[in-house]
Amino acid sequence: MNAIADVQSSVDKRNMPINQVGIKNLRLPVGIVSAEGTQQTIADLTMTVALPEEQKGTHMSRFVELIQAQQCNIDFNGLRQLTEAMLQKLDATAGKISINFPFFRKKKAPVTGIASLLDYQVTLCGEIKGDDYLQSMQVIVPITSLCPCSKEISAYGAHNQRSHVTVTLSCHDQINIEDIIDIIEQQASCQLYALLKRPDEKYVTEYAYDNPKFVEDMVRDIATTLKNNEKVTTFTVESENFESIHNHSAYALIQYP
Amino acid sequence: MNAIADVQSSVDKRNMPINQVGIKNLRLPVGIVSAEGTQQTIADLTMTVALPEEQKGTHMSRFVELIQAQQCNIDFNGLRQLTEAMLQKLDATAGKISINFPFFRKKKAPVTGIASLLDYQVTLCGEIKGDDYLQSMQVIVPITSLCPCSKEISAYGAHNQRSHVTVTLSCHDQINIEDIIDIIEQQASCQLYALLKRPDEKYVTEYAYDNPKFVEDMVRDIATTLKNNEKVTTFTVESENFESIHNHSAYALIQYP
Amino acid sequence: MNAIADVQSSVDKRNMPINQVGIKNLRLPVGIVSAEGTQQTIADLTMTVALPEEQKGTHMSRFVELIQAQQCNIDFNGLRQLTEAMLQKLDATAGKISINFPFFRKKKAPVTGIASLLDYQVTLCGEIKGDDYLQSMQVIVPITSLCPCSKEISAYGAHNQRSHVTVTLSCHDQINIEDIIDIIEQQASCQLYALLKRPDEKYVTEYAYDNPKFVEDMVRDIATTLKNNEKVTTFTVESENFESIHNHSAYALIQYP
Amino acid sequence: MNAIADVQSSVDKRNMPINQVGIKNLRLPVGIVSAEGTQQTIADLTMTVALPEEQKGTHMSRFVELIQAQQCNIDFNGLRQLTEAMLQKLDATAGKISINFPFFRKKKAPVTGIASLLDYQVTLCGEIKGDDYLQSMQVIVPITSLCPCSKEISAYGAHNQRSHVTVTLSCHDQINIEDIIDIIEQQASCQLYALLKRPDEKYVTEYAYDNPKFVEDMVRDIATTLKNNEKVTTFTVESENFESIHNHSAYALIQYP
């Protein structure tokens, strides 16, 4: 074994530090701890550390070794410990772990109350820079948007469509994924459900027609709520409406501050 | 140069012919000839030949050589010549070329008449098997679908969304891409446009509300029209509705005969 | 509730049966039972039934109701029961369920023996047509392919790359996902691992160089093994090599019989 | 026409300006002017403007109107004029146009000199903020990377694979797309070609083996060159290696300054 050269550990003379180096798109089963319990899901992981200018290479296998040995379920606290463990294992002073996964919530249909699971796409991110720990979260929520202009100018009907609202935020306190989903769904023309019986379908159709929103309204109303959330430090909110009358999207973004 | 071994031409003893071997996902600019003229677009090409059991390998570079030397614009006739040239160059008795590309049509908005380009995804496919030449086409057309059930049960409004209708057909005669697009768009709750001014938006909103269609209706109405088209030998028609009230699709398929 | 019309149950007069109608791309957590145990993963589901010509529409919510109520873990037997339950619930004589999911196996590195999980993409499919039940499986296995021509003609080195081998088979008996993965990995220039230490990396590098395979060899060697498997009724095997020296793929397919 | 309400122009009272609002993923044929000539390609466009807090909505159709009327071929100067025209048409003080497209170059095989086209993915971006005009470019170049560790520790062979190098830069002067591609390809273990005959394949195999590079080397060597380019103001360089021995990527990023 001693005979196998450790090329990565030799000295580098290009005078060029690297901001991030590591592994990308490693898929693994993970347990995610959230307000409503723990769920088993499949994550796509990116793990990187900063590399000082004098070091030729990082040790790629150590990232995999660390995450494969990970036994516990993950929340913001677990992610912090994992990020710290990565820096120690890689002998680094800065680094970042990003975990992207489908997340499920049991929702009750608005009239019949029948329960079903709806899927969201979530990313949790932990980053250490010197003495600072930065935690961030991205949640993509599918919703219905109904166009106020189309409703106003038409004798009947109004075009509506599925939209993706994406909130990306950094927070100094632990924030529940469910809270961010709630904030977004409450501002939608209507929220989505996997399972709707006829009385529910009547309800969501009329609810959306009663709550028309431009893509501009959607990001403004969500931004107003997030701005008042004391746990949220910075955020961007985006809405992409997959227009039912066009083959392109309507899009808006607010960045705060 | 003589010293460089031609490994692919050696004899194979596994007694196992190969149905298709060649190159996949080669991107190239191509000119497509259609009823409304010639357009420059970017194609994704797959080119394969059958390999008899005694031959170890095909010559991958010859596929690329052939298509890179291709100077002419492509229609069904051009595709046939290209497929024949491929078989000759590769010394094969069967083979297939598949060309997938975005296709554009200039459309006039329904009230103001303002023109704009709409994009479709099209695949042309030419295949030789012994003495037979088979030509096929796939067209994916984005449309609006509006739910009849939602309209019927609701006091006002109706959920609608963008849908993809996919027609895949084989034909013994040359068929225009534009004719298939027309057949699909005429059966939609409403067709799409890149550019709509307010009077147009009023029109398409009301038009869709006046023409509700289930995913079942969409495939049935298009299949009925295609069945009566003498140039069409076989076809499948699919509709996928990206439901605005769910995070999954409604889907239907008819295969004929 | 009685006042809410059931539009889907009205009579259709277009004389056009539908081969498949239902829901597509519904994401759900599922438990998959395989030879090496049960694993929790996230599935993408498509569920469809045939619709006779006289029936206007299917009942989309019943598909979701059925699958959301599903409590058990799934193997080929569970899938059959689920497909039968779907036909009963939808009052249909033909139908199909397709479950696509990432699947994980614990693998030991070839020299150090360190264990890590590798991910594969698998689809299980159950279909009822009249009295027949057809079960099929698709497994996509990432492997290393090393080019024999490049090795032969070069003074040193040989281009190699990640490839995807896809086996799609129908079987009259239950087949383990792991068995199909084994068949594919044994024929690769080298199999993949998530975690390799330096002695392992030396091993896989030399192993691949000792086992060069054309894309043609890969599909032939796997087809030869599958042909002799008594449980397998029909199969196709494809290999797509993401060539390290080109920006397109080398591709081959064998269909049997 | 007068009767059709202009909902978007009403006054908004939420006190919340919007950073970007407009259209996303509009596909259109465009001509791109570059150092080696003009090429027709297919672009994916995103066009947005800033919206002040008192304005309820933007006019989505005007973006489409502007770009559909665009007759000229696009380079950095054309993009600036287009961005200025957008701000004027939308009555905005800030805005951004992003054009993403496949870009082709004719390359000669290293030994035989046979020419073929290779495809790259490029984004040009023009942004106006008050009095400032910012122009940026992103180029994704597919290359071969060969692992120095694998070469060093193995008796023969070395794992190599296709990698994507992504350079994203802002510049105060016009920069040619071709110059950035050249910088990246010169630092690769080897560059890619669509068409290679056997003597070329021998050449690229040996060339890559003679030029092993870690993902860290790749970003460092490209960053060193870009740092010395006087036209480049800021840049990030990323490399993602689709490892042939793993099912995940090795990844590195340098941001400058």
Side-chain angles (χ1 to χ4, degrees):
Chain A
M1 227 61 127
N2 298 342
I4 297 189
D6 181 359
V7 185
Q8 288 91 334
S9 298
S10 59
V11 174
D12 200 279
K13 294 177 177 165
R14 275 164 295 194
N15 196 26
M16 183 68 76
I18 294 178
N19 300 65
Q20 293 180 35
V21 58
I23 59 167
K24 197 173 169 177
N25 293 339
L26 177 76
R27 278 207 294 188
L28 270 186
V30 295
I32 298 292
V33 184
S34 67
E36 293 167 357
T38 298
Q39 56 184 274
Q40 294 303 310
T41 185
I42 305 299
D44 191 82
L45 287 126
T46 297
M47 305 171 75
T48 56
V49 294
L51 196 73
E53 57 183 62
E54 69 277 6
Q55 203 177 325
K56 182 160 176 63
T58 190
H59 291 85
M60 293 290 180
S61 66
R62 294 188 192 170
F63 294 96
V64 184
E65 214 164 6
L66 177 74
I67 195 69
Q68 294 265 0
Q70 163 74 11
Q71 292 298 332
C72 308
N73 295 323
I74 290 174
D75 60 0
F76 266 127
N77 287 333
L79 184 53
R80 180 173 193 155
Q81 289 159 24
L82 200 59
T83 313
E84 288 168 348
M86 176 178 74
L87 262 63
Q88 199 177 352
K89 196 170 176 80
L90 273 299
D91 199 18
T93 58
K96 197 172 168 177
I97 298 179
S98 181
I99 307 183
N100 176 266
F101 51 88
F103 179 82
F104 293 85
R105 283 185 87 182
K106 186 163 279 184
K107 297 182 65 171
K108 289 188 177 173
V111 177
T112 63
I114 299 179
S116 63
L117 291 173
L118 190 66
D119 58 313
Y120 307 87
Q121 199 65 29
V122 175
T123 307
L124 297 182
C125 188
E127 186 173 6
I128 295 173
K129 276 188 184 176
D131 292 338
D132 293 331
Y133 179 71
L134 310 168
Q135 59 192 3
S136 61
M137 182 197 287
Q138 183 178 79
V139 185
I140 303 177
V141 177
I143 56 153
T144 307
S145 61
L146 186 139
C147 178
C149 173
S150 169
K151 174 180 173 179
E152 179 70 23
I153 64 181
S154 305
Y156 39 80
H159 79 80
N160 53 76
Q161 53 269 321
R162 207 188 292 165
S163 302
H164 280 178
V165 174
T166 304
V167 165
T168 313
L169 60 81
S170 64
C171 51
H172 44 80
D173 223 345
Q174 172 132 2
I175 286 188
N176 293 317
I177 298 169
E178 291 89 344
D179 293 345
I180 302 305
I181 293 174
D182 284 344
I183 287 171
I184 295 169
E185 292 190 334
Q186 282 157 15
Q187 299 301 339
S189 287
C190 192
Q191 53 184 295
L192 305 190
Y193 303 86
L195 180 52
L196 295 170
K197 302 303 286 182
R198 268 200 297 282
D200 303 310
E201 186 171 353
K202 175 178 163 59
Y203 179 90
V204 296
T205 302
E206 296 172 355
Y207 188 95
Y209 194 81
D210 288 335
N211 290 280
K213 294 228 177 174
F214 285 123
V215 71
E216 293 94 332
D217 296 322
M218 202 77 78
V219 294
R220 272 178 167 143
D221 291 341
I222 294 167
T224 302
T225 311
L226 288 172
K227 213 174 143 181
N228 295 326
N229 188 315
E230 294 190 351
K231 291 180 177 175
V232 176
T233 319
T234 65
F235 67 84
T236 62
V237 49
E238 297 164 274
S239 184
E240 179 171 5
N241 299 1
F242 306 104
E243 299 288 285
S244 65
I245 62 170
H246 298 304
N247 201 24
H248 60 265
S249 300
Y251 174 78
L253 175 150
I254 289 177
Q255 184 175 348
Y256 179 85
Chain B
M1 228 60 127
N2 299 340
I4 297 189
D6 182 357
V7 185
Q8 289 90 337
S9 299
S10 59
V11 174
D12 201 280
K13 296 177 176 163
R14 274 163 297 194
N15 196 26
M16 183 67 78
I18 294 178
N19 299 65
Q20 294 180 36
V21 57
I23 59 168
K24 197 173 170 178
N25 294 338
L26 177 75
R27 279 206 295 187
L28 270 186
V30 295
I32 298 292
V33 184
S34 67
E36 292 167 356
T38 299
Q39 57 184 274
Q40 295 302 312
T41 185
I42 304 300
D44 191 83
L45 287 126
T46 298
M47 306 171 74
T48 56
V49 293
L51 196 73
E53 58 183 62
E54 69 278 6
Q55 202 178 324
K56 182 161 174 63
T58 191
H59 292 84
M60 293 291 179
S61 66
R62 294 188 192 170
F63 295 95
V64 185
E65 216 164 3
L66 177 74
I67 195 69
Q68 295 265 358
Q70 162 73 9
Q71 290 299 332
C72 308
N73 294 323
I74 291 175
D75 60 1
F76 266 126
N77 288 332
L79 184 53
R80 180 173 193 155
Q81 289 159 24
L82 200 60
T83 312
E84 288 167 349
M86 177 178 74
L87 262 63
Q88 200 177 351
K89 199 173 173 79
L90 273 299
D91 199 19
T93 58
K96 196 173 170 177
I97 298 179
S98 181
I99 307 184
N100 176 267
F101 51 89
F103 179 82
F104 292 85
R105 283 185 87 183
K106 185 163 280 184
K107 298 182 64 171
K108 289 188 176 172
V111 177
T112 64
I114 298 179
S116 63
L117 291 172
L118 190 68
D119 59 313
Y120 307 87
Q121 199 65 28
V122 175
T123 306
L124 297 181
C125 188
E127 186 173 5
I128 294 174
K129 276 189 184 175
D131 292 338
D132 294 331
Y133 179 70
L134 311 167
Q135 58 191 4
S136 61
M137 183 197 284
Q138 183 178 81
V139 185
I140 304 177
V141 177
I143 56 154
T144 308
S145 62
L146 186 140
C147 179
C149 173
S150 169
K151 176 182 172 177
E152 178 70 24
I153 64 181
S154 304
Y156 40 78
H159 78 80
N160 53 77
Q161 52 269 321
R162 207 188 293 164
S163 301
H164 280 178
V165 174
T166 304
V167 166
T168 312
L169 59 83
S170 62
C171 49
H172 44 80
D173 223 345
Q174 173 132 2
I175 286 188
N176 293 316
I177 299 169
E178 291 87 344
D179 293 345
I180 302 304
I181 293 174
D182 284 345
I183 287 171
I184 296 169
E185 292 189 336
Q186 282 157 15
Q187 299 301 340
S189 287
C190 193
Q191 52 184 293
L192 305 191
Y193 302 87
L195 181 50
L196 295 170
K197 302 303 286 184
R198 267 199 297 280
D200 303 310
E201 186 171 353
K202 173 179 165 58
Y203 179 91
V204 298
T205 301
E206 296 171 357
Y207 188 95
Y209 193 80
D210 287 336
N211 290 279
K213 293 228 177 175
F214 285 122
V215 71
E216 292 94 335
D217 296 322
M218 202 77 78
V219 294
R220 272 178 167 144
D221 291 341
I222 294 166
T224 302
T225 311
L226 287 172
K227 214 173 144 183
N228 296 326
N229 189 314
E230 293 189 352
K231 291 180 178 174
V232 176
T233 318
T234 64
F235 66 85
T236 61
V237 48
E238 298 164 274
S239 184
E240 179 170 4
N241 299 359
F242 305 105
E243 300 289 284
S244 64
I245 61 170
H246 298 305
N247 200 24
H248 60 265
S249 299
Y251 174 78
L253 175 150
I254 289 177
Q255 185 175 347
Y256 178 85
Chain C
M1 227 61 128
N2 299 341
I4 297 188
D6 182 357
V7 184
Q8 288 92 335
S9 298
S10 59
V11 174
D12 201 279
K13 296 177 177 164
R14 274 163 297 192
N15 196 26
M16 184 68 78
I18 294 177
N19 299 66
Q20 292 181 36
V21 56
I23 59 168
K24 196 172 170 178
N25 294 340
L26 177 75
R27 279 207 294 187
L28 270 186
V30 295
I32 298 292
V33 185
S34 67
E36 292 168 356
T38 299
Q39 58 184 273
Q40 294 303 310
T41 185
I42 305 299
D44 191 81
L45 287 126
T46 297
M47 305 171 76
T48 56
V49 293
L51 196 72
E53 57 183 61
E54 69 278 6
Q55 202 177 325
K56 183 159 176 62
T58 191
H59 291 85
M60 294 290 179
S61 66
R62 293 189 193 170
F63 295 96
V64 185
E65 215 165 4
L66 178 74
I67 195 71
Q68 294 264 358
Q70 162 74 9
Q71 290 299 332
C72 308
N73 295 324
I74 290 175
D75 61 2
F76 266 126
N77 288 332
L79 184 54
R80 180 173 193 155
Q81 288 159 25
L82 201 59
T83 312
E84 288 168 348
M86 177 178 73
L87 262 63
Q88 199 177 351
K89 198 173 175 78
L90 273 300
D91 199 19
T93 58
K96 196 173 169 177
I97 298 178
S98 181
I99 308 185
N100 177 266
F101 51 89
F103 178 83
F104 293 84
R105 283 184 88 181
K106 185 162 281 184
K107 298 182 65 171
K108 288 188 178 174
V111 177
T112 63
I114 298 180
S116 63
L117 291 172
L118 190 67
D119 59 313
Y120 307 87
Q121 200 65 28
V122 176
T123 306
L124 297 181
C125 188
E127 185 172 6
I128 295 173
K129 276 189 183 176
D131 291 339
D132 293 331
Y133 180 71
L134 310 168
Q135 58 191 4
S136 60
M137 183 198 285
Q138 182 177 79
V139 185
I140 304 177
V141 177
I143 56 154
T144 306
S145 62
L146 186 139
C147 179
C149 173
S150 169
K151 175 180 173 179
E152 179 69 23
I153 65 181
S154 304
Y156 38 80
H159 78 81
N160 53 76
Q161 53 269 321
R162 206 189 293 166
S163 303
H164 280 178
V165 174
T166 304
V167 166
T168 312
L169 59 83
S170 62
C171 50
H172 44 81
D173 222 346
Q174 172 132 2
I175 287 187
N176 293 317
I177 298 169
E178 290 88 344
D179 293 345
I180 302 304
I181 294 173
D182 283 344
I183 287 171
I184 296 169
E185 292 189 335
Q186 282 158 13
Q187 299 300 339
S189 287
C190 192
Q191 53 185 295
L192 305 191
Y193 302 86
L195 180 52
L196 295 169
K197 302 303 286 181
R198 267 199 297 280
D200 303 309
E201 187 172 352
K202 173 179 166 58
Y203 179 90
V204 297
T205 301
E206 296 171 356
Y207 188 95
Y209 194 81
D210 287 335
N211 290 280
K213 294 229 178 174
F214 285 123
V215 71
E216 293 94 334
D217 296 321
M218 202 77 77
V219 294
R220 272 177 167 143
D221 292 341
I222 294 167
T224 302
T225 312
L226 288 173
K227 214 174 142 180
N228 296 326
N229 189 314
E230 293 189 352
K231 291 181 178 175
V232 176
T233 320
T234 65
F235 66 84
T236 61
V237 49
E238 298 163 274
S239 183
E240 179 171 4
N241 298 1
F242 306 104
E243 300 288 285
S244 66
I245 62 170
H246 298 304
N247 200 25
H248 59 265
S249 299
Y251 174 78
L253 175 151
I254 290 178
Q255 186 175 345
Y256 179 85
Chain D
M1 225 63 130
N2 299 340
I4 297 188
D6 182 358
V7 184
Q8 288 90 337
S9 298
S10 59
V11 174
D12 200 281
K13 296 177 175 163
R14 274 163 296 193
N15 197 26
M16 182 70 76
I18 294 178
N19 299 66
Q20 294 181 35
V21 58
I23 59 168
K24 196 172 170 178
N25 294 339
L26 177 75
R27 278 207 294 187
L28 270 186
V30 296
I32 298 292
V33 185
S34 67
E36 292 167 358
T38 299
Q39 57 184 272
Q40 295 302 311
T41 186
I42 305 299
D44 189 82
L45 287 126
T46 298
M47 305 171 75
T48 56
V49 293
L51 195 73
E53 57 182 60
E54 68 279 6
Q55 204 176 323
K56 181 158 176 64
T58 191
H59 291 85
M60 293 290 178
S61 65
R62 294 188 192 171
F63 294 96
V64 185
E65 217 164 3
L66 177 74
I67 194 71
Q68 294 264 358
Q70 162 73 8
Q71 291 299 332
C72 308
N73 294 322
I74 290 175
D75 62 359
F76 266 126
N77 288 333
L79 184 54
R80 180 174 192 154
Q81 288 159 25
L82 200 61
T83 312
E84 288 168 350
M86 176 178 74
L87 262 64
Q88 200 176 351
K89 198 172 175 79
L90 272 299
D91 199 18
T93 57
K96 196 173 170 178
I97 297 179
S98 182
I99 307 184
N100 177 267
F101 51 89
F103 179 82
F104 293 84
R105 286 185 86 181
K106 186 163 278 183
K107 298 181 66 171
K108 288 187 178 174
V111 177
T112 64
I114 298 179
S116 63
L117 291 172
L118 190 68
D119 59 312
Y120 307 87
Q121 200 65 29
V122 176
T123 306
L124 297 182
C125 188
E127 185 173 7
I128 295 174
K129 276 188 184 175
D131 292 338
D132 293 332
Y133 179 71
L134 311 168
Q135 59 191 3
S136 61
M137 183 197 285
Q138 183 178 79
V139 185
I140 304 177
V141 177
I143 56 153
T144 307
S145 62
L146 187 140
C147 178
C149 173
S150 169
K151 175 181 173 179
E152 179 70 23
I153 65 181
S154 304
Y156 39 79
H159 79 81
N160 52 77
Q161 53 269 320
R162 205 187 294 164
S163 302
H164 280 178
V165 174
T166 303
V167 165
T168 311
L169 60 82
S170 62
C171 50
H172 44 81
D173 223 344
Q174 172 132 3
I175 286 187
N176 293 316
I177 299 169
E178 291 88 344
D179 293 345
I180 302 305
I181 293 173
D182 284 344
I183 288 171
I184 296 169
E185 292 189 337
Q186 283 157 14
Q187 299 301 340
S189 287
C190 192
Q191 52 184 294
L192 305 191
Y193 303 86
L195 181 51
L196 294 170
K197 303 303 286 181
R198 268 199 296 281
D200 303 310
E201 187 171 351
K202 173 179 164 60
Y203 179 91
V204 297
T205 301
E206 295 171 357
Y207 189 95
Y209 194 81
D210 287 335
N211 289 280
K213 292 229 177 174
F214 285 123
V215 70
E216 293 93 334
D217 296 322
M218 202 77 78
V219 295
R220 273 178 166 143
D221 291 342
I222 294 167
T224 302
T225 311
L226 288 172
K227 213 173 143 182
N228 295 327
N229 189 314
E230 294 190 352
K231 292 181 177 173
V232 175
T233 319
T234 65
F235 66 85
T236 61
V237 49
E238 297 164 274
S239 184
E240 179 170 4
N241 299 0
F242 306 105
E243 300 289 284
S244 66
I245 61 170
H246 298 304
N247 200 24
H248 60 266
S249 300
Y251 174 79
L253 175 150
I254 290 176
Q255 184 174 347
Y256 178 84

